[in-house]
Amino acid sequence: MEAQFTIDPQTGNLGVGDVRLRPLQSKLEVEPQVAQLVKGSRDHGNGFEWLYLTGLIFGGQPASVGLCFHLGRLEQASWSVQLPDAPMDGGWPTREAIDREVAFVRDALARDGLNAKLDWGEVWSSFDPKGFMASNGLRYRTS
């Protein structure tokens, strides 16, 4: 069974199934709670570490999530959504597929009461021309 990925618009808490993750929560607390969903991790060696989660649902569609820890604290998350029948070109999403994902994520965020700037941080969904992909994410205020 796939776990829902949600964002609480009031607190910025992330829902990963039944698990609730708080802004700036320590990686040592988070990692065991999401261990069954971790597909991989990456330590950039500069204070930034990522945990990559699969088997999630965002807005009713399959999703993958990356949790970013800076100096051991949850500061960011990014995610992608796999929409059905998204047009592909040689295994890569087309601009049309990317635009559909951005529109879908923006609609899902709006339905949940999430707009760009919030008391606890910010959320976004936009086309990333450098990576030629949808960029969906959130960042917590740290000061």
Side-chain angles (χ1 to χ4, degrees):
M1 183 162 158
E2 294 174 318
Q4 295 289 327
F5 174 66
T6 59
I7 306 163
D8 184 305
Q10 301 303 313
T11 64
N13 288 350
L14 301 179
V16 179
D18 295 332
V19 174
R20 295 292 167 260
L21 307 177
R22 299 177 317 277
L24 308 179
Q25 188 172 1
S26 80
K27 182 176 181 253
L28 293 174
E29 292 175 325
V30 169
E31 200 164 20
Q33 295 182 67
V34 298
Q36 66 186 15
L37 298 169
V38 173
K39 177 182 179 183
S41 63
R42 182 165 190 169
D43 182 346
H44 289 271
N46 60 359
F48 287 92
E49 297 177 74
W50 287 83
L51 286 180
Y52 301 105
L53 313 180
T54 60
L56 297 167
I57 297 290
F58 177 80
Q61 298 298 325
S64 300
V65 175
L67 301 175
C68 179
F69 298 85
H70 181 236
L71 302 176
R73 300 284 177 197
L74 180 61
E75 285 192 7
Q76 298 180 53
S78 65
W79 64 95
S80 61
V81 178
Q82 293 79 48
L83 297 175
D85 303 323
M88 304 293 274
D89 181 14
W92 294 93
T94 64
R95 178 63 194 259
E96 179 185 351
I98 294 165
D99 290 344
R100 283 186 197 175
E101 179 178 346
V102 168
F104 174 83
V105 169
R106 286 182 177 181
D107 287 347
L109 291 171
R111 277 192 311 273
D112 291 342
L114 291 153
N115 53 32
K117 301 289 183 191
L118 299 143
D119 290 342
W120 48 262
E122 63 182 329
V123 295
W124 67 85
S125 181
S126 61
F127 172 66
D128 174 358
K130 186 175 179 181
F132 200 81
M133 61 186 218
S135 174
N136 310 305
L138 67 82
R139 181 176 301 114
Y140 297 120
R141 280 197 177 79
T142 57
S143 57

